[in-house]
Amino acid sequence: MCYNILISTTTSSDLTQFNTPLVAFSKAPPNQSAASLLRHPNHWFLGSIHGCSCGFRHLDPDNEDLGFSEPQDWWPEDQEAIDATLEIHDIFSTLLAQGEQLDCVDCWTESNEMEARSIHGVADINLRAIPRACFRFLGGRHMRFSE
């Protein structure tokens, strides 16, 4: 199974302008049932160097108590995933600073409609309050971003 990050935003800008070797926005969300949870009109799939969304930092719902934190020696993370997540923090911060709204769902690619509807809840995230080195996606969550 792979992570699947679906994003919605109020901006009508083409997010592919932010694509890099580590970050790839595309217009075709692969999981329509999870996309139905998103709040804004413009939907995007967030891919990584792997094609799926696995190339970013994620926190599994079973480890939610760890929250946002910098990478730790006792929990090895791939440097490319760390760098890609830093890029996403910057992109999200840019969009929010422009007055746009933004949310995302971080689920498994194989999620069916029932799994998408049982997402572990909504997390309201003030991105400005999270140092960029600490940011990661919360697996199984609908994340709503503010600045």
Side-chain angles (χ1 to χ4, degrees):
M1 288 199 300
C2 290
Y3 282 107
N4 186 19
I5 299 174
L6 304 176
I7 294 170
S8 77
T9 180
T10 54
T11 185
S12 57
S13 296
D14 182 355
L15 296 188
T16 62
Q17 69 180 308
F18 296 112
N19 286 0
T20 70
L22 298 176
V23 173
F25 289 95
S26 64
K27 269 308 249 183
N31 185 322
Q32 292 300 324
S33 58
S36 70
L37 301 174
L38 297 171
R39 299 172 46 202
H40 308 295
N42 301 298
H43 292 193
W44 294 88
F45 170 69
L46 177 58
S48 69
I49 195 168
H50 306 291
C52 60
S53 301
C54 290
F56 299 100
R57 297 183 71 215
H58 298 268
L59 185 62
D60 186 273
D62 295 333
N63 297 310
E64 228 174 62
D65 58 324
L66 297 175
F68 296 105
S69 69
E70 291 185 30
Q72 304 293 318
D73 290 338
W74 54 268
W75 185 341
E77 294 182 76
D78 183 69
Q79 188 60 49
E80 287 177 338
I82 294 168
D83 293 343
T85 307
L86 292 171
E87 288 183 22
I88 289 299
H89 186 282
D90 294 344
I91 293 166
F92 286 5
S93 294
T94 297
L95 292 171
L96 292 168
Q98 293 171 350
E100 302 297 346
Q101 295 179 2
L102 177 70
D103 69 340
C104 76
V105 174
D106 186 3
C107 59
W108 293 109
T109 303
E110 290 78 10
S111 291
N112 61 31
E113 186 168 339
M114 181 66 83
E115 289 171 305
R117 298 261 175 237
S118 64
I119 268 295
H120 294 99
V122 176
D124 289 312
I125 310 298
N126 179 339
L127 204 56
R128 187 179 293 200
I130 301 169
R132 66 191 289 270
C134 296
F135 178 72
R136 55 184 159 195
F137 290 97
L138 303 177
R141 286 283 192 173
H142 178 191
M143 301 171 70
R144 296 186 303 208
F145 296 97
S146 64
E147 185 181 55

